[in-house]
Amino acid sequence: MSINFSHLSGRKGMDENLFDALVKEGGFTGTAETEKLKELAEDYLLGEAPLLGAASFYDFLRKENEGKKIHVCNGTACMVAGTQDKLRNKISEHFDDKEVGHICCLGRCHENSAFQHNGQNYSGETDLSTLSENNDSEDTYNVANDGTAHLTGEFPGIDAFYALLKDILKRDRAELVEELTRSNVRGRGGAGFPAGIKWKTVKDAPGEVKFVVCNADEGDPGAYSDRYLMEKQPHLVLFGMMVCGYITGAETGVLYIRAEYPDSVSIMTQAVEDLQQAGYLGENICDSGFNFKFKVVKGAGSYVCGEETALLASLEGQRPEVRVRPPFPAVQGLFRKPTALNNVETFAVIHPVFNLGGDAYSEIGRGRSSGTKLVSLDSFFNKPGIYEVAMGTPVSDIFENYGGGFKSPVKAVHIGGPLGGIVPLEKIPDLTLDFESFDDHGFLLGHASVVSIPDDFPVLKYIEHLFEFTAAESCGKCFPCRLGSQRGMELLRKARTSDYKMDRELLDDLLETLEETSLCALGGGLPLPVKNVLQYFKDELNPYFQEA
Amino acid sequence: MSKFAYIDNQPYEINEGETILAFLKRHRGEKYVPTLCDAPQLEPFGSCRVCSVEAALSENGPTKTVASCHAPLQEGMYIYPDTKKIRKLRRNLIELVLTDHPLDCLTCEVSGNCELQDVAARVGMATVRYPAGANHLDTPKDTSHPYMTSDLSKCINCYRCVRACDEIQGEMVLSMHGRGFTNRIIKGMDTSFKDSPCVSCGACSQACPTSAISDRFKSKSIAATNNTRTICTYCGVGCNLDVSTANGEVLSIQASGDSEVNAAHTCLKGRYAFGFYKHPDRLTKPLIKEGDGFREATWDEAYDHIAAKLKDIVSTHGKDSVAGISSARCTNEENYLMQKFIRAVVGTNNIDCCARVCHSPTALGMQKAFGTGAATNSIKDLDVTDLILVCGANPTDAHPVTGVKIKQAAMKGIPMIVIDPRKTDLANLATWHLQLRPGTNVALLNMMAHYIVTEGKVDHDFINERCEGHEEFMAQIRELDIEEHEKITGVDRQLVREAAVAYASVDNAMEFHGLGVTEHSQGSKTVMLLSNLAMLTGNIGRPGVGINPLRGQNNVQGAADMGAQPHQGAGYLDVTMPEHQEHYRTHYGVDVPKEIGLKIPQMFDAAIDGSLKALWIMGEDIVQTDPNTHHVTEAMESLDFLVVQELFMSETAKLADVILPGASFLEKEGTFTNGERRIQRVNRAVDPLEGTKADGQIVVDIMNRMGFEQKGYSADVILQEIAQVVPFFAGVTWEGLGEFGLQWPVNPDGTDTQIMHKKEFRRGKGMFHYFDWVETTELTENQEEYPYILTTGRVLEHYNCGTMTRRTGNAEIVDRDILVVNPLDAKAKGLKTGDPVTLRSARGEATLEAAVTEDVKPGVVYTTFHFPEIMVNYITGNVHDEETMCPEYKVVAVDFDKAKATANA
């Protein structure tokens, strides 16, 4: 957004990070005090308005969050599971209504009944009366692979694991990036951009200061594979970031972890400390001349921060609004410095890539989709959990053999987050788990999360929820998303709750406008699942439209 | 080889790196693609999406919809900017906008000049199909501020105001607040314009495509019948203004969009502080002193009286018993006439102007070093410089449009050195703030030169080829006692070393300086030392370098150029040289005086000792603005005859024998020359207020009345005469100046000069000078009794003595002068912010309000001099720059204590 803001915030950079300060001052209980914001503005040579503007953006920093003690998950998986009304009733026995806020997806999609209290997440059966003493908030889910674990194996200990780093630090950076390119690894965050090309761009970008940023803002309701990696495989992530730093010439790695994942924040922080203790961080690592340090930053509640430019703006302390590209983050990213920004899982595959070698890694998977992919299955499966499968595995195989089939009747699955496609069950046999298969069939692999839509859940209500989600999370910068998500939600709600009949042409115009003109994938992606539903659940929706 | 892309399958040439929108605008016209969030002075933003077009990689190939404002154009791209699909998308977007916008166009202040209205009409909006939903239509208006207004129910969330505040003014007073549909614009901490830190520049108002942000003057309405482009009357930046008028009255002012000087930007003085021109206090009749008061007179009566009186004084006491003070606020033509009147009609060189009290040391110092006393470069060079050095200047207050350009560069990371005793806006942003003790510029600049030499950073090729005196200079500067100088300046030597090395190490370093350099006992010397730094490092003669004085008044450059100084006539020709006397004699048709005349401070002394009998002052309030008011008042009272041309009954006018009502810049034509030597056309927007006359006309009238034949006042006619007299105006004509003006020297063929001293200096070789620092006598004589140092300056909202700005809404924003005191000193004196303080010097005392901040170091206090109630110049002293007699406003020995009564009571 503001170039001036980026540079001024960049004067203090990550060491005395402005966003960190905003979050600390807000303390997850509302916006920081006016005086404090003014002080920060003065310290950072910025205006006070943009700091208040930034704070007002986040769920946890906005004034409305003041006084909230318990936050109930309103994510998609918990909604379709139908657990949250019951949970709210239970909560109201212990908390005043004013103390109850909401939070969007804690990644407890396999257990539901999810909420956050006092910075800790709970799901499944929780005894609310013992909440203050109850520190055992851990959840359980299945983890499996096809026999060869790349992302889901046992951690062998720091020295054994980082032996590979020592080898890498002896190698030529150009040769490493070449090997990464040969591995065909594509970004796991959803867009599928080749990691080798991105890292090469950062490597070749002029500039002495560069950054590696891990997008750990896994906001897609239904997805919890990044959470799994951070909490169970933290060194896979750190390793990947360090290799990225070595290749690109960056000396600082930033993990931007969503506040909805408190355990991820503490576990990653601990892993960084462990690594420091073991002597793998700081100056001249393993006598290679390579310097690297990490900074773990906790988010403050905003889905759009998962969009790369919004995430960078957030890290700078700006309002996390999507910025135009070019310039791309690889050339002008954090504080306008070249930045390699990737998803958690993308960094996690770097160890297997260099462990196996780029060529061998490219053999795993199918076609242009190489390697393995984590899939998260929700609570409608008999065996919900995180499964590592080779790209190209039939989706039906994953659902049946890993997930153990559905517990109760389901009519469609929403794969790849809120902006992914809604796949009617009859289309499942056509799909294999890779970028191309999903594209070819008019769906989207995304982050490969699966949310099931039960038979008795009205699809009208489901797409209204998607509009509502987009309206709530839209940064509001571009006109179509800010206005269109709101108007779409209003149209659908009016049709659902009154005898108002929608004009199909108007809805189609709205979807086309969103899809064609939105600045980022939030507004631009919303039409896909809606159009899927309009196509595959025509009969269920017909009564809500004016007759043609 | 030209490269091409296609619009509707027709090939068009492309420019490297341009956006699709820029490409389409170039070939199909400015308005071809409808836009809402795009604005020429702002970075591409991509929020409205109305500029979307279809783009393909092959003829009629598969297209992608892209927002043309930020999509880069590629060679061979096929653009389809107006397809059925695009027209529909634009219509759908505008339909969405109109679901949250009042449909009250007929009663809206910008009806007919609203970008949303235009775009809606262009895309053919028929109906809004969405049912009524949530909206922002009830957002209340904000009318809290003297100038700025908002009606955010009309806001379309294009962020142009937020971006203008940031990208143009660098202030960040505005922001979006909230998320998604709840987004709304806030000011400061979500407060009103009045309570926010808004600096009232109006950039947001001018940028806003609707009436969501506007101003009291409704500057975007189409009520005006005339629009006149002219030049601002305030500082030396020379902003181009568009003045809207109807029925002979000024309705509003906006910044000219295409101006090279200020491209759609200006400050609150230029944009909003014009109300003085029709203030009831305006003088509208000549006044002649009678008893203790004045009586109204006709022009003829006044002229007869003056002519008779002047002739009488000249015949009794000689020509040199008369003097004139010209005005840096008036046009070049008026200044030319004024000096011509004094020299050719009265016959004396006793002519001076307010440059005496501001940049006379710059003119002299740079003439000695380079051969010309004017800026070497242009402000636009800020775009290409690698380092900025600002010495003794606070341009974000005093030269706002240039100030924010410097600020923008610094915000984006261009390294900056600020040499200033105060923590100014720029000092806060600086990489190196050398916060020296007032009065030690010479010591500090010598330290910098010392480090440049001893650290081996000298550009030897440059100095050997183009300079002289460098060997002696370097030998002396090597011997500088750094430890002693560190003590003198109070600035850490390592900080000075780092700054000096940085200045000398970049490819292009650019210097700016202000009155903090010149208004000192060693002012001219300081200018020569600044010149030394530039020459030592080869920072002269190309883009992004040089020495650039920030000229204080709109035409102070021009007043000196036109000869309103006692030692040089029009065009800086030495009045003592016979060939120059001959030059003037040829053009004026009479013999001209041959002796150097009196400088302003000498005029005061001469009046008191009785040798000066008559003084003619055109538009300057010397009683309020010159130092040591008691002394100035005594001088005025000692005169036999004082004539003052003025807009208002100033402190000086009160002492006059005849007061002639002049006209303001809005009421006259002529040219002003800005700080980068740019001669620009001033056009009359309204007729002079009834009873008043353009100052040039008054001078012409009196010249004729005294028997000298002078053609009537008309800008183009006088300019023709000037072009013959002033060598560097040779190619200047009224028509030739065009919309953007020309930078002198203007060659006979009309070509102008952006950068001076390219191949060689005007004086041949650049001259090095060495000077030792000397403590001012103001301190050596007074500091025992008055141990604090007072330094003075300006605030953004007011202009000099405030004659004009105090008669506008600016006085509602800032209504008093304050004394800035360091917390340690405040504690010692038992003071807190808001307390009344009595400030004393060897000359007198004044009472004003304290503001306790760390903007000054302990031992230093700071104030402004805008309000006559305070008369800070009762305090200031008699010390002057040794060579030019520019007064030392910046160093005054004072003491202060908490006062009993409030300052303005």
Side-chain angles (χ1 to χ4, degrees), chain B residues 74-75 158 165 294 455 471 562 587 867 872:
Chain B
Q74 285 155 27
E75 188 184 1
C158 67
C165 192
F294 292 94
E455 299 280 330
E471 275 165 24
M562 292 302 111
H587 289 287
F867 289 84
V872 168

Side-chain angles (χ1 to χ4, degrees), chain B residues 404-536:
Chain B
V404 301
K405 285 181 182 171
I406 296 174
K407 186 174 177 180
Q408 287 291 343
M411 286 169 105
K412 289 176 183 65
I414 297 291
M416 179 163 67
I417 303 165
V418 171
I419 302 173
D420 204 298
R422 288 202 301 134
K423 276 187 195 154
T424 56
D425 206 12
L426 291 184
N428 282 325
L429 283 164
T431 326
W432 301 274
H433 178 201
L434 310 180
Q435 195 173 6
L436 76 182
R437 178 167 71 86
T440 63
N441 285 331
V442 167
L444 189 109
L445 293 172
N446 275 341
M447 284 172 84
M448 286 186 70
H450 172 84
Y451 282 119
I452 290 170
V453 171
T454 57
E455 299 280 330
K457 292 288 176 184
V458 173
D459 183 343
H460 289 284
D461 290 347
F462 183 89
I463 53 173
N464 290 335
E465 195 181 318
R466 296 197 47 187
C467 302
E468 57 187 323
H470 45 277
E471 275 165 24
E472 301 85 322
F473 172 78
M474 291 200 288
Q476 281 172 298
I477 207 78
R478 277 182 193 280
E479 300 304 316
L480 200 75
D481 183 341
I482 284 291
E483 198 171 320
E484 189 200 339
H485 279 67
E486 190 177 37
K487 280 190 203 130
I488 293 166
T489 58
V491 184
D492 179 78
R493 70 180 85 174
Q494 288 312 325
L495 201 63
V496 180
R497 191 186 60 82
E498 268 182 38
V501 168
Y503 174 82
S505 300
V506 297
D507 288 346
N508 299 303
M510 196 166 180
E511 290 181 28
F512 291 90
H513 72 268
L515 305 185
V517 162
T518 57
E519 290 177 347
H520 285 285
S521 58
Q522 291 187 293
S524 301
K525 291 175 176 168
T526 310
V527 173
M528 289 182 253
L529 298 189
L530 283 167
S531 309
N532 287 347
L533 293 189
M535 290 189 290
L536 267 184

